[in-house]
PDB file of all heavy atoms in Angstrom:
ATOM      1  N   ILE B1327      48.162 -50.779 175.076  1.00 98.00           N
ATOM      2  CA  ILE B1327      46.729 -50.473 175.095  1.00 98.00           C
ATOM      3  C   ILE B1327      46.105 -51.227 173.931  1.00 98.00           C
ATOM      4  O   ILE B1327      46.408 -50.943 172.768  1.00 98.00           O
ATOM      5  CB  ILE B1327      46.493 -48.962 174.904  1.00 98.00           C
ATOM      6  CG1 ILE B1327      47.227 -48.160 175.982  1.00 98.00           C
ATOM      7  CG2 ILE B1327      45.008 -48.643 174.904  1.00 98.00           C
ATOM      8  CD1 ILE B1327      47.286 -46.672 175.706  1.00 98.00           C
ATOM      9  N   LEU B1328      45.293 -52.241 174.243  1.00 98.00           N
ATOM     10  CA  LEU B1328      44.666 -53.003 173.169  1.00 98.00           C
ATOM     11  C   LEU B1328      43.228 -52.532 173.004  1.00 98.00           C
ATOM     12  O   LEU B1328      42.454 -52.508 173.968  1.00 98.00           O
ATOM     13  CB  LEU B1328      44.680 -54.504 173.492  1.00 98.00           C
ATOM     14  CG  LEU B1328      46.050 -55.141 173.721  1.00 98.00           C
ATOM     15  CD1 LEU B1328      45.895 -56.627 174.059  1.00 98.00           C
ATOM     16  CD2 LEU B1328      46.933 -54.970 172.489  1.00 98.00           C
ATOM     17  N   PHE B1329      42.891 -52.151 171.770  1.00 98.00           N
ATOM     18  CA  PHE B1329      41.511 -51.781 171.469  1.00 98.00           C
ATOM     19  C   PHE B1329      40.999 -52.794 170.456  1.00 98.00           C
ATOM     20  O   PHE B1329      41.547 -52.913 169.361  1.00 98.00           O
ATOM     21  CB  PHE B1329      41.457 -50.361 170.911  1.00 98.00           C
ATOM     22  CG  PHE B1329      40.064 -49.886 170.589  1.00 98.00           C
ATOM     23  CD1 PHE B1329      39.114 -49.750 171.599  1.00 98.00           C
ATOM     24  CD2 PHE B1329      39.694 -49.597 169.288  1.00 98.00           C
ATOM     25  CE1 PHE B1329      37.826 -49.326 171.316  1.00 98.00           C
ATOM     26  CE2 PHE B1329      38.409 -49.162 168.991  1.00 98.00           C
ATOM     27  CZ  PHE B1329      37.466 -49.030 170.010  1.00 98.00           C
ATOM     28  N   ASN B1330      39.977 -53.540 170.849  1.00 97.00           N
ATOM     29  CA  ASN B1330      39.492 -54.664 170.035  1.00 97.00           C
ATOM     30  C   ASN B1330      40.646 -55.571 169.609  1.00 97.00           C
ATOM     31  O   ASN B1330      40.703 -56.046 168.479  1.00 97.00           O
ATOM     32  CB  ASN B1330      38.746 -54.153 168.798  1.00 97.00           C
ATOM     33  CG  ASN B1330      37.444 -53.460 169.178  1.00 97.00           C
ATOM     34  OD1 ASN B1330      36.806 -53.819 170.177  1.00 97.00           O
ATOM     35  ND2 ASN B1330      37.056 -52.458 168.403  1.00 97.00           N
ATOM     36  N   GLY B1331      41.591 -55.758 170.516  1.00 97.00           N
ATOM     37  CA  GLY B1331      42.699 -56.665 170.255  1.00 97.00           C
ATOM     38  C   GLY B1331      43.884 -56.065 169.530  1.00 97.00           C
ATOM     39  O   GLY B1331      44.912 -56.717 169.375  1.00 97.00           O
ATOM     40  N   VAL B1332      43.784 -54.814 169.082  1.00 97.00           N
ATOM     41  CA  VAL B1332      44.879 -54.176 168.338  1.00 97.00           C
ATOM     42  C   VAL B1332      45.621 -53.206 169.261  1.00 97.00           C
ATOM     43  O   VAL B1332      44.980 -52.416 169.971  1.00 97.00           O
ATOM     44  CB  VAL B1332      44.329 -53.391 167.121  1.00 97.00           C
ATOM     45  CG1 VAL B1332      45.472 -52.762 166.333  1.00 97.00           C
ATOM     46  CG2 VAL B1332      43.491 -54.287 166.235  1.00 97.00           C
ATOM     47  N   ASP B1333      46.950 -53.283 169.262  1.00 97.00           N
ATOM     48  CA  ASP B1333      47.728 -52.372 170.104  1.00 97.00           C
ATOM     49  C   ASP B1333      47.694 -50.966 169.496  1.00 97.00           C
ATOM     50  O   ASP B1333      48.163 -50.744 168.374  1.00 97.00           O
ATOM     51  CB  ASP B1333      49.180 -52.865 170.203  1.00 97.00           C
ATOM     52  CG  ASP B1333      49.984 -52.009 171.176  1.00 97.00           C
ATOM     53  OD1 ASP B1333      49.389 -51.139 171.852  1.00 97.00           O
ATOM     54  OD2 ASP B1333      51.213 -52.221 171.271  1.00 97.00           O
ATOM     55  N   ILE B1334      47.129 -50.019 170.229  1.00 98.00           N
ATOM     56  CA  ILE B1334      47.033 -48.647 169.708  1.00 98.00           C
ATOM     57  C   ILE B1334      47.999 -47.697 170.413  1.00 98.00           C
ATOM     58  O   ILE B1334      47.936 -46.492 170.224  1.00 98.00           O
ATOM     59  CB  ILE B1334      45.587 -48.089 169.845  1.00 98.00           C
ATOM     60  CG1 ILE B1334      45.133 -48.099 171.299  1.00 98.00           C
ATOM     61  CG2 ILE B1334      44.622 -48.865 168.964  1.00 98.00           C
ATOM     62  CD1 ILE B1334      43.893 -47.262 171.554  1.00 98.00           C
ATOM     63  N   SER B1335      48.922 -48.260 171.210  1.00 96.00           N
ATOM     64  CA  SER B1335      49.757 -47.359 172.010  1.00 96.00           C
ATOM     65  C   SER B1335      50.736 -46.558 171.164  1.00 96.00           C
ATOM     66  O   SER B1335      51.312 -45.592 171.644  1.00 96.00           O
ATOM     67  CB  SER B1335      50.496 -48.142 173.099  1.00 96.00           C
ATOM     68  OG  SER B1335      51.298 -49.136 172.518  1.00 96.00           O
ATOM     69  N   LYS B1336      50.943 -46.958 169.907  1.00 95.00           N
ATOM     70  CA  LYS B1336      51.842 -46.172 169.055  1.00 95.00           C
ATOM     71  C   LYS B1336      51.116 -45.511 167.892  1.00 95.00           C
ATOM     72  O   LYS B1336      51.738 -44.914 167.013  1.00 95.00           O
ATOM     73  CB  LYS B1336      52.972 -47.061 168.536  1.00 95.00           C
ATOM     74  CG  LYS B1336      53.937 -47.443 169.655  1.00 95.00           C
ATOM     75  CD  LYS B1336      55.068 -48.318 169.151  1.00 95.00           C
ATOM     76  CE  LYS B1336      55.933 -48.773 170.303  1.00 95.00           C
ATOM     77  NZ  LYS B1336      55.206 -49.708 171.213  1.00 95.00           N
ATOM     78  N   VAL B1337      49.795 -45.609 167.895  1.00 97.00           N
ATOM     79  CA  VAL B1337      49.011 -45.015 166.805  1.00 97.00           C
ATOM     80  C   VAL B1337      48.840 -43.518 167.069  1.00 97.00           C
ATOM     81  O   VAL B1337      48.536 -43.123 168.192  1.00 97.00           O
ATOM     82  CB  VAL B1337      47.626 -45.708 166.719  1.00 97.00           C
ATOM     83  CG1 VAL B1337      46.767 -45.061 165.638  1.00 97.00           C
ATOM     84  CG2 VAL B1337      47.788 -47.198 166.445  1.00 97.00           C
TER      85      VAL B1337
END
Side-chain angles (χ1 to χ4, degrees):
Chain B
I1327 303 168
L1328 301 179
F1329 181 63
N1330 292 329
V1332 182
D1333 185 7
I1334 58 166
S1335 59
K1336 290 180 185 67
V1337 177

